[in-house]
Amino acid sequence: MGVERPPQAIPSILGRTISTAAYEALQPRLKACPYFVIPVFRESGLFNVVTNFHNDLVGVAPLREFQEKQDHATISMTIQFFTELSRSKGMVLVRCEIEDKVFVRQDAIFLTQMLLKYYTFPKMYESWVEPFNKRPNQFDFHHYLRAMKDEAKKDNIKIEDKKFVDYSTPKLIGMDGKPLEQDNFGPVVDQEPDFVSKRIIEAATDLEEKATPKTD
């Protein structure tokens, strides 16, 4: 994902700190598994975003934007780490910048918190992040969404497993043959359990192959 700020965007900046130990656990995991998906909850629904770690920067884009543009998706939020005080103070500064109007402050706080949590806690990393990147067939997307719903304390939002009849059509269809409810960023509940991670990892692999020089 290219980190390009939309024209005339006025960024909103938030900051926090994490311990050096947390950063040392987080950083190699970000390198090993650079992609993840995190839901953003609204009053009565949700949309999903893709996070991508590249060149010491985490870029965040709505899932629909990433699916349409892949590496050229417009970044709506960035998360960056500053290690200048890691040795002397035992802490790392975390800078979160909202690049446009997709997110509000509370979204940024939640996304940053969940990214840090899922990459820092071994059990969460091994249960969700690692399968998403390395074993997409084992990533149960709706089970994950339900766990995230509990994290966000959104008991009013119901998440049901949905299978799709036809992925090739622009309009997403549920098992009952009717179009699924969508917001500005895509369906309120996205694809079947392993479909999202498959598509993202496949797209990333294609881009890496195209970028790798061919040798005779």
Side-chain angles (χ1 to χ4, degrees):
M1 293 189 289
V3 182
E4 297 182 2
R5 182 174 299 166
Q8 299 179 341
I10 301 175
S12 176
I13 298 171
L14 301 92
R16 61 169 292 170
T17 62
I18 59 174
S19 69
T20 299
Y23 176 75
E24 288 175 348
L26 174 86
Q27 208 260 355
R29 290 173 181 160
L30 282 168
K31 285 185 175 181
C33 296
Y35 292 94
F36 200 43
V37 62
I38 301 175
V40 174
F41 294 90
R42 293 294 190 230
E43 198 61 36
S44 59
L46 63 90
F47 66 94
N48 293 287
V49 303
V50 175
T51 63
N52 177 24
F53 178 74
H54 182 66
N55 291 337
D56 293 323
L57 188 75
V58 178
V60 184
L63 175 60
R64 185 175 180 180
E65 171 85 6
F66 182 83
Q67 288 176 326
E68 291 177 353
K69 300 179 182 179
Q70 298 178 12
D71 199 45
H72 300 290
T74 300
I75 296 298
S76 299
M77 176 179 139
T78 58
I79 302 170
Q80 196 167 10
F81 303 93
F82 298 89
T83 59
E84 288 83 352
L85 301 176
S86 61
R87 292 187 178 181
S88 61
K89 301 293 183 182
M91 65 180 183
V92 172
L93 304 179
V94 183
R95 182 180 188 269
C96 172
E97 184 170 319
I98 304 172
E99 303 282 356
D100 56 29
K101 295 181 179 180
V102 171
F103 301 115
V104 296
R105 180 184 176 88
Q106 195 59 39
D107 297 335
I109 293 172
F110 180 76
L111 285 168
T112 303
Q113 181 181 350
M114 291 300 104
L115 180 87
L116 295 175
K117 189 172 184 177
Y118 275 73
Y119 275 89
T120 303
F121 291 5
K123 187 175 181 180
M124 289 185 165
Y125 175 79
E126 292 166 5
S127 297
W128 300 113
V129 181
E130 213 167 37
F132 183 90
N133 284 266
K134 298 181 178 181
R135 302 181 299 278
N137 289 338
Q138 297 177 21
F139 183 79
D140 188 331
F141 188 53
H142 290 84
H143 185 192
Y144 165 70
L145 283 182
R146 284 190 283 269
M148 289 295 288
K149 185 191 77 166
D150 293 339
E151 292 269 11
K153 296 179 171 59
K154 291 289 186 179
D155 296 334
N156 61 312
I157 297 176
K158 186 177 181 181
I159 296 174
E160 298 178 347
D161 289 338
K162 293 182 184 291
K163 300 288 184 178
F164 289 82
V165 176
D166 185 359
Y167 296 122
S168 64
T169 57
K171 189 174 289 185
L172 298 176
I173 306 299
M175 288 185 68
D176 57 3
K178 296 179 181 179
L180 294 176
E181 182 182 356
Q182 299 187 59
D183 60 18
N184 291 333
F185 305 100
V188 172
V189 176
D190 290 291
Q191 286 80 5
E192 66 179 81
D194 63 352
F195 183 68
V196 173
S197 52
K198 274 185 179 179
R199 286 290 298 274
I200 291 173
I201 300 306
E202 285 172 1
T205 302
D206 289 344
L207 289 168
E208 288 175 2
E209 290 176 352
K210 290 177 182 177
T212 303
K214 294 183 178 180
T215 56
D216 296 329

